[in-house]
Amino acid sequence: MPPTEPLLRVRVPCSEDWSAMEEDGRGRFCNLCNMHVHDVSRMTEHEARELLAARTSRVCVRFL
């Protein structure tokens, strides 16, 4: 079986504290980068793939 591409590649990991970010109903909001952060650890693989496929610009994610 040929290897598959990973769902995510982290080029520059964020060092901001997740617990210090404000909850916004869909995840958290990072005041440092002024972006919504999606917690893909809480999504199904299908949901995560849809999120990434639909993006039109940078997307911030958290995963464990």
Side-chain angles (χ1 to χ4, degrees):
M1 179 186 303
T4 59
E5 279 291 310
L7 178 59
L8 296 172
R9 285 181 199 217
V10 179
R11 293 181 189 190
V12 180
C14 179
S15 61
E16 289 303 301
D17 181 5
W18 173 258
S19 62
M21 293 180 194
E22 183 179 335
E23 290 189 48
D24 69 359
R26 299 179 301 156
R28 306 274 172 123
F29 187 81
C30 178
N31 287 314
L32 180 71
C33 65
N34 200 34
M35 292 185 72
H36 174 78
V37 183
H38 302 270
D39 187 356
V40 295
S41 316
R42 302 182 133 222
M43 296 178 179
T44 66
E45 181 177 342
H46 178 75
E47 290 169 330
R49 287 187 182 278
E50 282 186 335
L51 169 73
L52 296 173
R55 69 184 174 87
T56 57
S57 61
R58 276 184 27 186
V59 63
C60 286
V61 299
R62 173 184 192 248
F63 65 98
L64 302 175

